[in-house]
Amino acid sequence: MREEAKVVVFCCNWSVYPGLQLSHSAAPTGAKGLVDPIVTMCSGRVSPELILEAFSQGAWGVLVAGCPPEECEHNGNYKARRRVLLLQNLLAQMGIEPQRVRFESFSTGESAKLGQTIRGFVEEMRGLGPIE
Amino acid sequence: MAERIGVFVCKCGPNIGDRIDVDSVVAEAEGIEDVVTAKSHNLLCSEDGIRFLQEEIRKGGLTRVVIAACTPKQYEQKFMRACEGVGLNPYLLQMTNIREQCAWVTPDPAQATAKAKSLVRAATMRATLQEPIEKKEIEIHPDVLVVGSGVAGLEATLTLAQKGRKVYLLEKSPCIGGLGARFEEVYQTMECAPCMLAPELQEVLQKENIEAITYGELEGVVGSYGNFTVKIRRKARYVSEEACIGCSACFEPCPVEVSNEFDEGLSKRKAIYIPFAGALPNVPVIDEANCIKLKGGECNACQEACPFDAIDFDDQDRIEEKRVGAIILATGSTQFNPSSLAQYGYGRFDNVLTGLELERLNASNGPTGGKILLKDGREPRSVAFVYCVGRKEKGHCSGICCMYSVKLAHLLKEKIPGVEVYSFYTDLCLPKKEHQRLYEEVVEKGVEFIRSNGSERVSRDGKGLVVEYKADSTSKSLAVDMVVLAPAIEPNPDTAKLAAILDIPLDERGFFSEEHPLMKSFGTPLEGVFIAGCCQGPKDIGDAVAQGGAAAGRILSRLIPGEKLELEPIVAVIDEEICGGCNTCISICPYSAISRDEEKKVAVVDDTLCRGCGTCVAACPTGAARAKHFTNEEIFAEIREVVR
């Protein structure tokens, strides 16, 4: 088992991923741990099984990053948000801290917020440690 | 058969090379199953780099390519073309970003290198599972339907027609030109709007490849981008467009008088009428709701008066079908009716008008021939404008009311020497480069601006009106002859009907929802259906024209006669063997791209409409829906490697 926190970030291809690309100045730098982005065409594509797979493979936390309300071309962000909320309930029932999965929204230009959120999330996961 | 995978790690000069141990990443790649070549290059996107890549693909007989370099947003297309150039399907390439995602954000070189390795492993495992995707192309129909003939629709129509496209311009009212044709002068140039529009309107009516269908409605649409069939209702006009020369001999004898909606009800018209002097096409229409003969009574007055035998009481609505490749909706907006807000007295007190009513009073082809008069025929000596009427109720700034109110204040000052003009406002919204100037001019001319923050109440005092308001925390009142309200702009009542016909969404205010508020304000989520002008949201003439042009340009660049339309290759597919026919995907698809095959009782994706967002894939309870290039297996492989 790794020492560092392992965090998977699902990035939407249109707003979040380009934002992440711009973010090297304000970046997830300094996040103590490994943060890996996985790109999907829309946050609406992120099904619970993708998130659960990440956990079963050893991720400490999963951040689903989509467009802000009103800005998703596919309205997939609303669906992703609802799915994450449901999944949080399910995780709690399974004895896993629900805060290990989180939905956040970002505009392309919000790379500073993106960096900050990822850093904060990694810190939180460090506090929780790996899933028992 | 095992894949032959090539992994190429770009140093990006010092950008990656100095911060990541590229050699050890290459060594890591060499150890992955099925990798037959792993190499680094100093600058893979350079001409030399592309040659190197192509040579390696050829030489190694590679069946999969992984490139670890910069962001795919920058050069993925270039690398995909390079693969295609040597016969490798471009979707068998996988890029992973070790510059923005590693080198630039991870200061510790050891950590950055470890991360680059894990990303390369993930991309390689993913690449193994990737499948070739063929580009799909469909035959298209290059003609275009434009709905609405205001400034946005006109610009779209003419832009398309100038390139030789056949355009059907469908207009609900009997004449073309929209709201703009009813203004006398426009902000901020104070140009005469009918004169500004006249050449465009003439061109629309005369150009051979434009078919202007006035007094018509869109009844139905089937098909998709490139191949729509639209059903148009041509309402019975009862006057032959061919025979009529527009002499207007028929108006006088008509015994019916009703209020004229084109003058905001401020004038009367006959049952056979043209909306206003100068309206085009210059052919009257008989209003069947009010015509004595059409209601079953005895009257032939217009028919007897017509010297050209153009009146045809047997005329009937006709339904026509047209085939078009794209549709532009430019159906405009309407004005919020302020009579629901009792504090303004609109509809109860004489001489409380809306801005549009004052526009018509000011228009030389309007009810008073351009004289601004009170109900009793006197000239007003004092006028109060009230801004932002209904802004709070509607929840949006309409963005044009300040402009036209300033304009009308200016016109009042010009037309009626010595008139006192007051403007009660909350916020002034005059954002464009020339917009402040006219405001400064009217302030100089003595128009008084009072910041009353929506506290205005209008009451009657004898023959006059009183505006009570609060300013600087003090209650005050002002007696005036006329009050002009600036009501919010709201969607046209037809907007919801059209949205239902086309199956496109409305926003929470009831305007058409745009594909993207900034980047594609003229697009809708439905491919091939565009929006322009105030039907997308309140805007001024300049912005409406720009959107009309943008929508037309988008069509001209993608829907080209003789060329096939290339479809988005990354789409969803539904496996009919697995599909249980639950319809979940149909209900959540944002593009209405999924329909039900009633015979097989399964869901089917229409490639021409799908944009590959994958929402259906995530929702499908049986796993029948698959997103090409983003399958569960591909994403699982990626997750496994990055989390390992």
Side-chain angles (χ1 to χ4, degrees):
Chain A
M1 183 66 66
R2 264 181 216 280
E3 285 299 301
E4 310 102 323
K6 261 312 237 183
V7 167
V8 172
V9 185
F10 286 100
C11 303
C12 127
N13 190 36
W14 308 112
S15 65
V16 183
Y17 193 64
L20 187 70
Q21 306 301 284
L22 297 172
S23 69
H24 61 267
S25 50
T29 314
K32 290 199 176 109
L34 281 165
V35 179
D36 280 296
I38 286 184
V39 180
T40 59
M41 290 290 267
C42 173
S43 58
R45 167 69 183 90
V46 181
S47 54
E49 52 190 322
L50 295 180
I51 299 170
L52 291 173
E53 176 74 12
F55 284 128
S56 80
Q57 293 296 332
W60 294 18
V62 175
L63 184 70
V64 180
C67 300
E70 302 280 289
E71 286 182 29
C72 175
E73 288 184 14
H74 323 282
N75 282 338
N77 51 352
Y78 298 125
K79 296 176 184 103
R81 190 174 156 270
R82 285 201 293 268
R83 283 185 189 127
V84 166
L85 286 172
L86 286 171
L87 196 61
Q88 283 174 335
N89 289 335
L90 191 72
L91 289 182
Q93 286 171 30
M94 289 158 63
I96 298 173
E97 298 84 349
Q99 61 271 37
R100 288 188 189 271
V101 57
R102 194 199 287 178
F103 177 85
E104 288 283 350
S105 50
F106 306 92
S107 286
T108 305
E110 294 183 315
S111 40
K113 178 186 163 195
L114 182 63
Q116 214 170 26
T117 307
I118 292 177
R119 275 195 296 277
F121 188 66
V122 170
E123 274 316 304
E124 204 181 328
M125 293 308 111
R126 274 163 59 85
L128 290 175
I131 295 175
E132 296 291 325
Chain B
M1 198 186 74
E3 299 299 343
R4 296 180 61 78
I5 307 174
V7 178
F8 302 96
V9 185
C10 178
K11 292 184 179 160
C12 195
N15 283 301
I16 296 171
D18 283 2
R19 298 169 190 187
I20 286 177
D21 181 356
V22 169
D23 291 340
S24 84
V25 176
V26 169
E28 173 87 12
E30 274 172 343
I32 303 173
E33 200 185 342
D34 296 338
V35 171
V36 293
T37 307
K39 285 187 174 151
S40 64
H41 190 277
N42 194 46
L43 198 61
L44 211 50
C45 61
S46 64
E47 268 183 44
D48 177 66
I50 296 291
R51 262 198 308 274
F52 162 79
L53 179 68
Q54 291 188 321
E55 185 52 35
E56 287 291 329
I57 296 172
R58 238 192 315 249
K59 207 169 63 190
L62 302 181
T63 60
R64 296 287 187 276
V65 170
V66 174
I67 293 176
C70 56
T71 162
K73 297 280 170 206
Q74 207 165 352
Y75 290 119
E76 191 177 39
Q77 295 290 328
K78 191 175 188 176
F79 291 132
M80 284 172 91
R81 279 197 301 275
C83 291
E84 214 173 0
V86 287
L88 184 70
N89 185 290
Y91 293 92
L92 299 177
L93 160 80
Q94 178 63 18
M95 270 194 86
T96 189
N97 180 357
I98 58 165
R99 190 178 69 181
E100 286 85 344
Q101 277 172 224
C102 289
W104 283 355
V105 296
T106 311
D108 173 23
Q111 262 196 341
T113 304
K115 184 168 171 188
K117 285 178 183 173
S118 108
L119 286 174
V120 166
R121 273 200 316 273
T124 310
M125 297 320 283
R126 187 194 206 283
T128 315
L129 299 168
Q130 277 166 214
E131 289 161 22
I133 301 176
E134 297 307 325
K135 281 185 193 150
K136 274 205 179 165
E137 291 180 328
I138 52 164
E139 302 274 353
I140 56 108
H141 211 278
D143 299 355
V144 179
L145 171 70
V146 177
V147 187
S149 66
V151 288
L154 286 175
E155 177 66 17
T157 300
L158 291 172
T159 305
L160 290 160
Q162 275 152 14
K163 193 75 189 122
R165 292 306 176 88
K166 168 90 188 182
V167 184
Y168 300 101
L169 177 59
L170 180 60
E171 168 59 48
K172 174 181 66 171
S173 81
C175 61
I176 58 173
L179 207 52
R182 289 153 73 188
F183 300 151
E184 185 79 358
E185 279 114 347
V186 286
Y187 202 84
Q188 74 279 357
T189 54
M190 302 309 285
E191 223 176 315
C192 149
C195 321
M196 189 172 82
L197 286 174
E200 306 230 328
L201 297 176
Q202 287 296 351
E203 204 180 337
V204 160
L205 293 177
Q206 282 167 18
K207 237 182 161 62
E208 272 186 0
N209 50 338
I210 300 174
E211 185 177 340
I213 304 170
T214 51
Y215 214 40
E217 277 174 20
L218 187 63
E219 292 252 305
V221 176
V222 289
S224 56
Y225 196 15
N227 296 284
F228 290 108
T229 303
V230 297
K231 207 193 268 181
I232 292 168
R233 175 181 293 271
R234 279 182 191 262
K235 288 199 281 185
R237 206 178 180 110
Y238 304 101
V239 179
S240 159
E241 282 185 69
E242 289 75 43
C244 174
I245 64 147
C247 69
S248 64
C250 51
F251 306 157
E252 186 59 32
C254 176
V256 181
E257 268 202 345
V258 291
S259 82
N260 185 357
E261 55 275 44
F262 295 89
D263 272 336
E264 295 298 296
L266 297 172
S267 66
K268 299 282 185 207
R269 64 164 172 81
K270 297 299 183 74
I272 184 165
Y273 69 104
I274 59 166
F276 50 86
L280 291 171
N282 187 12
V283 177
V285 52
I286 300 181
D287 160 10
E288 50 181 30
N290 292 302
C291 168
I292 296 171
K293 171 112 179 175
L294 291 171
K295 285 199 295 187
E298 279 300 317
C299 178
N300 266 334
C302 56
Q303 202 167 33
E304 280 157 18
C306 176
F308 298 99
D309 226 1
I311 313 280
D312 171 16
F313 286 114
D314 297 326
D315 195 10
Q316 285 190 338
D317 285 11
R318 276 169 296 155
I319 304 282
E320 287 178 13
E321 281 197 347
K322 308 279 182 201
R323 287 197 60 198
V324 295
I327 299 168
I328 300 175
L329 300 171
T331 51
S333 59
T334 186
Q335 202 180 252
F336 166 70
N337 184 348
S339 58
S340 61
L341 300 175
Q343 69 266 38
Y344 300 114
Y346 179 76
R348 290 188 291 135
F349 306 148
D350 283 347
N351 305 318
V352 178
L353 309 177
T354 65
L356 205 48
E357 286 168 344
L358 185 57
E359 277 304 341
R360 291 311 294 159
L361 285 183
N362 175 58
S364 49
N365 63 0
T368 53
K371 289 201 183 81
I372 299 172
L373 300 173
L374 297 168
K375 198 88 175 208
D376 62 8
R378 288 180 303 129
E379 273 191 342
R381 301 310 307 156
S382 55
V383 179
F385 285 87
V386 180
Y387 290 37
C388 291
V389 170
R391 183 177 80 164
K392 211 161 65 198
E393 288 72 19
K394 290 275 133 191
H396 61 254
C397 167
S398 296
I400 57 170
C401 326
C402 292
M403 290 184 231
Y404 74 65
S405 300
V406 166
K407 172 191 79 178
L408 290 168
H410 170 82
L411 287 167
L412 275 166
K413 281 284 189 189
E414 297 266 293
K415 283 206 167 166
I416 309 175
V419 67
E420 288 172 22
V421 181
Y422 305 91
S423 289
F424 293 95
Y425 74 102
T426 302
D427 299 300
L428 277 181
C429 176
L430 297 162
K432 293 187 180 167
K433 66 177 179 184
E434 293 294 332
H435 284 183
Q436 200 76 18
R437 192 181 296 172
L438 196 64
Y439 162 72
E440 281 159 9
E441 212 177 303
V442 298
V443 171
E444 209 163 281
K445 283 194 174 139
V447 174
E448 198 179 328
F449 282 79
I450 301 159
R451 189 165 202 171
S452 44
N453 289 317
S455 61
E456 314 82 13
R457 299 190 71 84
V458 180
S459 55
R460 192 160 43 185
D461 179 23
K463 273 187 131 186
L465 297 162
V466 175
V467 181
E468 290 166 68
Y469 62 99
K470 251 188 213 143
D472 306 324
S473 323
T474 328
S475 297
K476 299 177 184 177
S477 69
L478 181 79
V480 289
D481 292 337
M482 182 187 268
V483 169
V484 182
L485 307 176
I489 303 298
E490 63 180 18
N492 209 310
D494 289 344
T495 313
K497 201 177 109 196
L498 286 166
I501 288 174
L502 283 149
D503 201 6
I504 54 172
L506 298 175
D507 63 22
E508 60 187 284
R509 306 174 204 291
F511 294 102
F512 290 125
S513 201
E514 58 287 270
E515 188 177 348
H516 188 282
L518 304 175
M519 304 302 285
K520 263 182 219 146
S521 70
F522 52 85
T524 71
L526 184 62
E527 280 257 49
V529 176
F530 299 86
I531 45 178
C534 288
C535 63
Q536 181 251 339
K539 58 179 63 65
D540 66 7
I541 291 175
D543 286 353
V545 169
Q547 268 188 328
R554 191 49 75 107
I555 292 168
L556 289 174
S557 70
R558 267 203 83 195
L559 204 66
I560 301 161
E563 281 185 26
K564 289 181 174 176
L565 184 69
E566 201 176 289
L567 301 178
E568 165 70 57
I570 300 178
V571 292
V573 281
I574 292 172
D575 186 336
E576 57 175 64
E577 295 292 312
I578 305 174
C579 175
C582 72
N583 293 356
T584 304
C585 54
I586 298 176
S587 68
I588 62 159
C589 174
Y591 303 107
S592 308
I594 312 181
S595 56
R596 186 178 168 83
D597 180 334
E598 281 303 341
E599 216 166 283
K600 294 180 177 165
K601 300 197 174 3
V602 293
V604 185
V605 179
D606 183 341
D607 280 1
T608 57
L609 298 176
C610 177
R611 302 219 192 154
C613 70
T615 302
C616 57
V617 184
C620 177
T622 62
R626 271 175 80 242
K628 284 192 186 172
H629 212 53
F630 289 91
T631 64
N632 273 359
E633 294 71 28
E634 286 162 4
I635 299 173
F636 284 163
E638 233 179 307
I639 293 172
R640 264 194 296 277
E641 292 306 322
V642 296
V643 180
R644 196 156 71 146

